[in-house]
Amino acid sequence: NMLEEKKKLLPEVIIETSSFKRYKELKDMCDESEWRCLKEKIISKIKPNNRNILEDIYMEENETDKLFNLLKKNPNISRLARYQDGVKDKYSEELLKLYKPQILEESKRVSDRKWYQELCYYIRKMKELNNSDDFIFEMLKEMYPNYRSKRAFKEEIINVLSDKNKNRFYELIQK
């Protein structure tokens, strides 16, 4: 029948095209035990350098450790933000440490309000992590020389800070 035929074909399609949409389509066609076996087969055949689909799969399947290990190997800032919800319960502290060098690096390059807003988006993502207040404030202090004279940057940052950090930030920029 048509469904069985599709189930046979889709794994190859998924592996060849890295289509997460097809992955979910196949998952919806299978019962639990059938899926467990198929899923492992698919994952084992996806090339390790094809992390985009692997990250999506690990997120979908709640494979927290595997997802975090992929992020750690290549901690690109937008990927950290994209997959944060899949790992933040277990890896909050580690995520903060992965964000920091990225944000410090970006803060050296930022030049206009659009950039500032993008940077603040990531600071807002950091704020969702456990015990992030002190970490974020220390990072802002470290970044301060990069934006000391940039009023727009300071305005954007104020918008994303917690009340506790707003107060500390005002003290910092008054000095």
Side-chain angles (χ1 to χ4, degrees):
N1 89 23
M2 201 55 187
L3 188 68
E4 289 308 309
E5 199 55 37
K6 209 167 180 183
K7 277 186 194 178
K8 271 194 200 115
L9 290 172
L10 273 177
E12 275 311 307
V13 171
I14 293 163
I15 292 159
E16 287 303 310
T17 63
S18 298
S19 169
F20 184 63
K21 196 176 122 210
R22 296 273 184 238
Y23 178 89
K24 288 186 71 150
E25 185 184 331
L26 180 61
K27 183 179 181 178
D28 291 340
M29 292 179 199
C30 298
D31 63 42
E32 223 170 295
S33 63
E34 189 182 21
W35 179 244
R36 253 194 314 276
C37 176
L38 253 181
K39 173 183 78 172
E40 290 312 316
K41 214 178 280 180
I42 291 168
I43 290 174
S44 72
K45 289 191 173 148
I46 292 174
K47 292 173 183 60
N49 63 355
N50 195 345
R51 26 164 224 283
N52 289 1
I53 187 169
L54 279 177
E55 287 164 346
D56 287 335
I57 289 172
Y58 292 155
M59 182 95 162
E60 170 76 17
E61 305 297 343
N62 294 315
E63 297 274 9
T64 307
D65 297 334
K66 290 177 180 173
L67 177 56
F68 181 73
N69 284 328
L70 279 182
L71 291 174
K72 201 167 66 176
K73 279 183 192 140
N74 187 357
N76 162 297
I77 196 166
S78 63
R79 288 174 48 253
L80 290 174
R82 179 171 175 192
Y83 297 105
Q84 172 173 308
D85 288 345
V87 295
K88 70 180 181 186
D89 292 343
K90 186 171 181 182
Y91 291 107
S92 236
E93 195 178 321
E94 292 88 342
L95 277 172
L96 287 170
K97 290 176 183 160
L98 291 176
Y99 268 116
K100 183 181 172 184
Q102 310 266 342
I103 288 184
L104 290 175
E105 199 45 51
E106 288 294 316
S107 76
K108 292 174 189 162
R109 283 202 292 273
V110 261
S111 54
D112 61 27
R113 196 173 285 266
K114 196 177 133 317
W115 270 97
Y116 303 151
Q117 288 167 341
E118 190 172 321
L119 205 56
C120 287
Y121 165 78
Y122 295 114
I123 293 172
R124 193 177 284 117
K125 291 298 285 183
M126 289 176 79
K127 211 168 81 175
E128 295 172 10
L129 301 169
N130 299 336
N131 308 317
S132 59
D133 260 2
D134 291 341
F135 191 92
I136 289 172
F137 183 68
E138 289 307 311
M139 183 183 74
L140 289 176
K141 271 179 23 188
E142 211 173 308
M143 283 164 59
Y144 190 57
N146 301 331
Y147 63 79
R148 169 180 275 129
S149 60
K150 297 175 180 164
R151 191 178 55 87
F153 196 18
K154 290 187 264 196
E155 287 170 5
E156 292 299 331
I157 284 179
I158 287 293
N159 291 330
V160 300
L161 295 180
S162 66
D163 292 340
K164 177 184 177 184
N165 272 347
K166 266 184 193 149
N167 295 331
R168 296 196 284 188
F169 187 70
Y170 281 127
E171 284 175 27
L172 173 70
I173 60 180
Q174 298 309 316
K175 286 180 182 167

